[in-house]
Amino acid sequence: MSNPQSDEVFAGSIPRLYEAYLVPLIFEQYAKGLAQRLASRKLARVLEVAAGTGVVTRHLASLLPDDVSIVATDLNQPMLDLASEVGTSRPVEWRQADAMQLPFADESFDAVVCQFGVMFFPDKAKAFSEARRVLKAGGVLLFSVWDRIEENEFADTVAAALEPLFPDDPLRFMARTPHGYYDVATIQTDLRNGGFVTAPRVDTIAARSIAESARIPALAYCQGTPLRNEIEARNRSLLGQATNVAESAIAKRFGHGQVDGKIQAHIIMAERRE
């Protein structure tokens, strides 16, 4: 009953729950660092793909000089609508776009940035090829992907806790998609197939995911990601129960009150040399 196509759907109440819970839980820690990697480069125009609700966009707008234009895109219009509503410190252009078919001219950006979105692209090499196409010579593609699920403790705990709920049709979203594109050799191959001939720089960075209670990561993962789509596709009435099961498992592993779990990601920078 698993439907990988539903992995790409961030609609309904997901965007607001994603912004309220998941962004501070796991995305904020990496967003500023990603933007900082571009701050020292000479840039005129930056493209962000899979911008989600705009956590990286906000840091780009704050850290990059005001004369650097920023175009932030996402496949899911509801995510962009919320990103625009939350806003940025200076104007950016919000635009719905498919990363595998970018509506921009060749060699029109100095950098393409994507935080934790590549895993959702059905054809990674094609998306990399599109990024390379819109980059100027000397431009960079900068993106992040989560490491294997075992290195991301809240996600791993939630995934394991929900298995008994659906024994005949297990929920595979977390391991399949957010944590399914961690192999560096595969990423390097896809980059080469996308036209990036120079070996990328890869940094593996661990951080801590901290929440005031176990309820927060349970809500974040079960209701603020497409894991919710998987749960509701099996039995819509079990969403609340699944969230409670996840909360109990997190509390059992990390304690009651404030919880603190490891997260880990790969940060990859590939340059278009010609």
Side-chain angles (χ1 to χ4, degrees):
M1 198 171 183
S2 295
N3 180 11
Q5 289 184 337
S6 72
D7 293 358
E8 303 170 42
V9 179
F10 290 77
S13 62
I14 289 178
R16 291 194 179 277
L17 290 164
Y18 175 104
E19 173 64 23
Y21 296 114
L22 208 62
V23 166
L25 186 70
I26 61 173
F27 293 138
E28 187 71 50
Q29 294 93 312
Y30 290 97
K32 185 176 181 179
L34 209 64
Q36 285 175 330
R37 289 172 183 246
L38 293 180
S40 62
R41 300 184 67 90
K42 186 176 181 180
L43 305 168
R45 197 168 184 229
V46 173
L47 172 66
E48 184 183 359
V49 296
T53 56
V55 60
V56 172
T57 323
R58 294 191 284 274
H59 284 287
L60 290 171
S62 296
L63 290 172
L64 298 183
D66 288 349
D67 61 353
V68 177
S69 67
I70 301 167
V71 182
T73 68
D74 198 279
L75 182 65
N76 291 273
Q77 188 62 47
M79 298 289 272
L80 282 180
D81 290 343
L82 183 55
S84 178
E85 179 185 323
V86 174
T88 52
S89 61
R90 63 181 177 89
V92 304
E93 179 184 346
W94 304 102
R95 185 164 176 180
Q96 194 275 339
D98 185 341
M100 295 190 299
Q101 194 173 359
L102 293 170
F104 305 107
D106 295 356
E107 300 184 37
S108 53
F109 293 94
D110 302 290
V112 175
V113 60
C114 180
Q115 175 168 266
F116 302 122
V118 170
M119 308 91 71
F120 293 87
F121 301 158
D123 187 335
K124 276 74 169 175
K126 184 175 181 181
F128 292 149
S129 177
E130 274 293 274
R132 184 186 180 280
R133 178 184 65 78
V134 302
L135 279 172
K136 299 174 184 177
V140 294
L141 167 63
L142 175 65
F143 65 97
S144 57
V145 296
W146 293 116
D147 203 346
R148 67 183 72 237
I149 195 168
E150 293 82 3
E151 300 289 353
N152 291 270
E153 292 177 336
F154 288 157
D156 191 37
T157 302
V158 170
L162 296 184
E163 281 191 16
L165 260 156
F166 305 98
D168 298 326
D169 192 9
L171 305 171
R172 300 298 189 199
F173 167 74
M174 295 303 303
R176 178 180 63 238
T177 302
H179 300 281
Y181 192 60
Y182 58 83
D183 182 71
V184 172
T186 299
I187 295 168
Q188 291 172 330
T189 297
D190 287 341
L191 282 166
R192 285 196 300 272
N193 290 338
F196 289 91
V197 296
T198 304
R201 173 180 173 177
V202 180
D203 296 314
T204 300
I205 298 177
R208 305 304 300 180
S209 181
I210 300 171
E212 290 306 307
S213 72
R215 186 67 178 174
I216 290 173
L219 282 167
Y221 286 105
C222 293
Q223 300 191 28
T225 78
L227 176 60
R228 177 177 187 151
N229 301 333
E230 270 202 324
I231 295 168
E232 293 186 328
R234 285 156 177 76
N235 189 330
R236 185 174 295 272
S237 69
L238 291 182
L239 179 62
Q241 182 181 344
T243 307
N244 292 338
V245 166
E247 179 183 2
S248 296
I250 293 167
K252 182 178 180 181
R253 181 173 177 182
F254 300 97
H256 297 276
Q258 186 181 84
V259 292
D260 182 336
K262 177 189 176 184
I263 50 177
Q264 186 161 294
H266 302 309
I267 314 299
I268 297 120
M269 181 177 284
E271 184 175 350
R272 175 176 177 172
R273 288 293 178 86
E274 75 290 327

